[in-house]
Amino acid sequence: MTGEKVLKKIIVSRQIHPADFLKFLTEKQKKELLTRASFLKGKRVVHINATGVGGGVAELLKSLIPYFRSLGIQSDWYSINPEIDKKFFDITNKIHNALQGAPVKISNKDWVEYQRVNKLLAAEIEKIDCDIIVINDPQPLFAGTYLGFEKKKIFFCHIDTSAAFKPVWEKILPAIGVYDRIVFSNSEFVNGDLPHSKLKIFTPAIDPLSPKQKIVSKKEARRYLKKQGGIPADYPLVAQISRFDIWKNPLGVIQAFRLVQSTHPEARLVLVGFNKAKDNPAAAVIYKDIEAVAKKSEDIYIFFDPKGKNVEEFTIMAQNGADVIVQNSIKEGFGLTVVEAMWKGQPVIGGPASGIRKQITDGENGFIAETPADLAERINLFLADPAKKKKMGETAKKTVIKKFLFPRLVLDHLKIYQSCFKSK
Ligand code: UDP
């Protein structure tokens, strides 16, 4: 198609004020953030990603853009036009899977189409007035290779490339090489072939000003869960709130819960894993397995189909209302559900995944449980000693404020933007 528009501007109308978030920083960080922001004042930073709705990157940008703007940095966000030929997204989906290690074959014809769209993207990007261009993830990655302008280019990779499928990686690597800076959210996601000097790691963070991080009383939360989910409000409630996924190990949670029931027969378990993707056969399979196991017990509640539910509100209420939150993951890049619960004053009992260990210090702000028996023991401990749980919850919240809130992530961004100008 000629004259095809491949970029779409995403309108972000939310407005915030620096005072709303500067309070979450130490005096030293606040000073640094304001100094860097004043250096960047009037500069224009443009983010490009695959989609304006759905997915972690869109969520991130929806929040980041208002923060930058509030600091006087002109920021815009463009996504790939969802109306373009679906073929492109089928190809980039294959590239995504290959980068995460799947042995996917990508034909020459596919590469030609991928590059054709990226050439069009570059042509449109060149017309955007900006000082720094930030490309997120592989979909628009090759645009960087076609950009004729001298502006600084940053590539943000939100996926795990450590064991990328070689034939695809060999095509992708030179394109990443044209960027001035390369950012990952986890050092374990970095492929060893990448140029070390350009790399930075930005640990994920949550936006304390977003409705998703709302803190409500336990009483209100339990009332909501009773009304919307039929979960009794007056029994101890254990919860895991995350996608039905093999690596999140919901089956292990059920095993632990059965052990807990021998000491606390009145306890209830809720597994909340709303299926937001239209087409996610893997989650449906795991859900079916879990449902088959959970059906045998009236004390286990599971939520998968979002129909008729306000997913965000239900999630927030479960995070606020549970007596014990677990996140039993075996493998996890980070696990936002952990930090979200910790922000709400919940000390989380996590599985042994590396992303979870970044957030939980065993025995201080939560626990790490290696086996169902371990998990059951920690759940019992919290149920038996609410004062201890409360104290660890306070420590958990302090951890979030210190390490995992948006203002710190904004500071990470400002540092890298400023470094682009300094290296001129
Ligand atoms: N989430 C949700 N409702 C659910 C399950 C998950 O809103 O039923 C959200 C959760 O609050 C978090 C995100 O989905 O913001 C999951 O992010 P995480 O990093 O924990 O795991 P991922 O699903 O990306 O592996």
Side-chain angles (χ1 to χ4, degrees), residues 38 48 51 63 101 117 155 174 200 271 327 336 387 395 422:
S38 89
I48 312 280
T51 166
S63 278
V117 174
F155 179 57
K200 278 271 174 282
L271 298 172
Q327 183 56 61
L336 281 170
T395 312
K422 285 195 168 156

Side-chain angles (χ1 to χ4, degrees), residues 212 241-243 248 272-274 276 311-312 315 319 332 334-338 340:
K212 185 85 192 273
I241 302 137
S242 67
R243 279 187 299 118
K248 313 257 182 200
V272 183
F274 285 113
K276 286 178 276 185
V311 169
E312 185 172 287
T315 303
Q319 287 173 335
E332 191 78 74
F334 183 72
L336 281 170
T337 52
V338 175
E340 287 169 359

Side-chain angles (χ1 to χ4, degrees), residues 243-247 250 275 277-290 304:
R243 279 187 299 118
F244 284 98
D245 182 291
I246 191 103
W247 301 113
N275 184 33
K278 274 190 221 121
D279 177 28
N280 190 353
V285 170
I286 304 292
Y287 167 72
K288 283 253 150 21
D289 288 352
I290 297 296
F304 177 70

Side-chain angles (χ1 to χ4, degrees), residues 53-127:
V53 279
V57 182
E59 282 301 310
L60 199 69
L61 292 176
K62 212 158 71 184
S63 278
L64 269 180
I65 303 283
Y67 275 76
F68 295 146
R69 287 182 182 159
S70 79
L71 293 165
I73 301 156
Q74 300 183 45
S75 304
D76 281 316
W77 169 19
Y78 292 81
S79 282
I80 300 175
N81 183 354
E83 306 287 312
I84 68 163
D85 197 335
K86 188 180 153 290
K87 212 163 47 186
F88 174 76
F89 291 107
D90 290 340
I91 299 165
T92 57
N93 207 14
K94 283 198 245 175
I95 295 176
H96 182 118
N97 291 338
L99 292 184
Q100 304 231 79
V104 182
K105 237 183 108 75
I106 297 171
S107 67
N108 275 340
K109 213 169 130 212
D110 283 350
W111 283 116
V112 169
E113 173 62 9
Y114 171 63
Q115 286 172 345
R116 182 188 74 84
V117 174
N118 269 274
K119 253 183 217 162
L120 295 173
L121 285 170
E124 287 184 33
I125 292 169
E126 280 185 348
K127 290 189 205 133

